């Protein structure tokens, strides 16, 4: 963001790697002169870049996702990693619920129906699925998952979740078995972190358990869902539909998804509001400022 870059330039000597004609050569020549890194959840920090920065002591990540940063190596080197949780909870939860409403009621599909001139005295749009009073399953009841559950309470939805362990201080039903949660749910919302531990957690078996009357919503990471299995499930109506804000190889969306009416596709915009992105930028800078002032990082990564 321009405002983020401006704030960084006011405080620090900034060098943008993407602006270098030959980034690899630049890192070989200059990599040992850097104390800190600012990156984003989308860009991450490739291993070869981290290896070329031997004196880096802080990585400040614009975003909550850190699955593209080698955290084991950062810990080994004693590098502090800060990220931007909490400030994006509301907007991600809002968008998750927007996807629930869209895919269940067919909002985007109905919009295309009207724009194509298909609404005539002789032709009406298809019936859709009610959201209120249905069963919502949440995969990963962290900060964002809990806000989504709060939104769902306004729609009188029954709520269950699965985690590695029960979440403290919540009254929602804990279901340790993901397959059992999928069988129960009318809507299965994925909010778990990405990374190796959750890679393809939502696979063909889970989608089969979810069933032909239920919907998958993913606002987590594309890697959490077996995308090939999801394409087949949507094509064959193994599930009723899906709402996706994230994909396995962004910004590339599988061609097979583009022609399907039972999936809503968004370009990873869950946190994409002026308010939230500015709050993320402010926290990115605050993490750096605190570290270089010899204080505790405002929002350190606990992993």
């Amino acid at each position: 963001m321009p405002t983020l870059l401006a704030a960084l330039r006011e405080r620090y000597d900034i060098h943008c790697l993407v602006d270098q004609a030959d980034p690899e050569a630049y890192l070989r020549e200059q990599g040992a002169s850097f104390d800190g890194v600012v990156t984003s959840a989308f860009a991450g920090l490739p291993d070869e870049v981290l290896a070329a920065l031997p004196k880096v002591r802080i990585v400040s990540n614009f975003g909550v996702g850190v699955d593209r940063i080698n955290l084991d190596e950062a810990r080994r080197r004693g590098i502090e990693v800060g990220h931007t949780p909490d400030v994006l909870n509301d907007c991600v939860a809002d968008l998750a619920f927007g996807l629930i409403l869209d895919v269940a009621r067919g909002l985007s599909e109905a919009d295309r129906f009207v724009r194509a001139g298909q609404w005539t005295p002789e032709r009406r749009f298809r019936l859709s699925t009610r959201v209120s009073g249905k069963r919502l399953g949440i995969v990963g009841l962290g900060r964002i998952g809990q806000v989504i559950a709060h939104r769902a309470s306004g729609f009188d939805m029954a709520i269950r979740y699965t985690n590695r362990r029960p979440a403290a201080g919540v009254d929602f039903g804990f279901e340790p078995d993901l397959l059992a949660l999928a069988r129960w749910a009318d809507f299965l919302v994925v909010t778990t972190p990405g990374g190796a531990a959750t890679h393809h957690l939502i696979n063909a078996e889970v989608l089969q358990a979810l069933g032909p009357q239920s919907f998958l919503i993913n606002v987590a990471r594309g890697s959490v869902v077996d995308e090939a299995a999801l394409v087949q499930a949507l094509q064959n109506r193994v599930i009723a539909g899906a709402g996706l804000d994230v994909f396995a190889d962004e910004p590339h969306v599988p061609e097979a998804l583009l022609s399907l009416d039972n999936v809503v596709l968004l370009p990873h915009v869950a946190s994409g509001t002026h308010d939230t992105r500015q709050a993320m930028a402010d926290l990115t800078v605050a993490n750096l400022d605190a570290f270089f002032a010899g204080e505790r990082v405002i929002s350190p990564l606990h992993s």
Side-chain angles (χ1 to χ4, degrees):
M1 290 176 58
T3 56
L4 174 56
L5 281 173
L8 290 170
R9 286 187 173 120
E10 287 178 0
R11 295 163 168 82
Y12 304 102
D13 181 14
I14 297 300
H15 299 259
C16 295
L17 188 59
V18 294
D19 292 342
Q20 308 306 319
D22 186 341
E24 291 184 11
Y26 181 79
L27 285 173
R28 284 195 301 270
E29 296 170 4
Q30 303 292 332
S33 64
F34 291 101
D35 302 298
V37 172
V38 173
T39 186
S40 69
F42 178 77
L45 186 57
D47 288 350
E48 62 273 17
V49 174
L50 184 57
L53 302 168
K55 295 183 180 178
V56 157
R57 296 177 289 142
I58 172 73
V59 174
S60 188
N61 187 61
F62 178 82
V64 69
V66 292
D67 48 295
R68 295 185 177 184
I69 299 174
N70 188 333
L71 300 179
D72 290 336
E73 178 64 10
R75 277 191 292 267
R76 187 191 70 78
R77 289 176 48 181
I79 298 172
E80 187 78 67
V81 178
H83 62 156
T84 61
D86 294 323
V87 296
L88 48 68
N89 294 353
D90 283 324
C91 281
V92 176
D94 290 349
L95 185 125
F97 226 87
L99 282 171
I100 289 172
L101 290 166
D102 194 335
V103 72
R105 295 302 307 272
L107 303 184
S108 293
E109 184 185 353
D111 177 81
R112 293 192 294 271
F113 181 84
V114 172
R115 291 176 187 274
Q118 296 177 1
W119 187 23
T120 67
E122 296 77 27
R123 187 177 183 189
R124 303 288 181 90
F125 188 66
R126 64 172 178 82
L127 297 180
S128 59
T129 299
R130 188 183 70 182
V131 173
S132 297
K134 294 298 181 69
R135 298 184 296 266
L136 179 70
I138 300 175
V139 182
L141 194 74
R143 299 176 178 94
I144 293 170
Q146 291 186 38
V147 180
I148 292 172
H150 178 69
R151 300 285 188 274
S153 66
F155 284 77
D156 299 318
M157 301 180 84
I159 301 164
R160 294 183 186 177
Y161 71 96
T162 190
N163 265 0
R164 286 178 293 181
R165 61 186 68 88
V170 301
D171 298 327
F172 313 122
F174 173 62
E175 175 52 73
D177 186 341
L178 175 57
L179 289 177
L181 182 68
R183 293 188 194 99
W184 174 84
D186 297 308
F187 299 90
L188 189 67
V189 180
V190 183
T191 57
T192 190
T198 59
H199 183 73
H200 287 187
L201 181 67
I202 307 300
N203 56 23
E205 189 177 12
V206 173
L207 296 169
Q208 189 72 43
L210 191 57
Q213 304 302 317
S214 299
F215 301 86
L216 177 75
I217 308 295
N218 189 9
V219 292
R221 284 291 180 268
S223 61
V224 180
V225 175
D226 183 339
E227 204 162 69
L230 177 60
V231 169
Q232 290 188 354
L234 290 166
Q235 289 174 332
N236 299 324
R237 304 286 168 165
V238 172
I239 63 174
L244 308 174
D245 185 46
V246 290
F247 302 88
D249 183 25
E250 297 177 1
H252 307 292
V253 177
E255 187 72 24
L257 290 176
L258 301 180
S259 61
L260 295 175
D261 276 334
N262 60 339
V263 60
V264 178
L265 308 170
L266 301 182
H268 202 152
V269 292
S271 65
T273 66
H274 296 291
D275 316 73
T276 289
R277 291 287 171 86
Q278 187 58 55
M280 291 167 62
D282 293 343
L283 187 50
T284 300
V285 175
N287 280 329
L288 285 173
D289 289 349
F291 179 84
F292 286 117
E295 302 171 359
R296 184 169 177 79
V297 170
I298 304 297
S299 54
L301 180 71
H302 299 289
S303 178

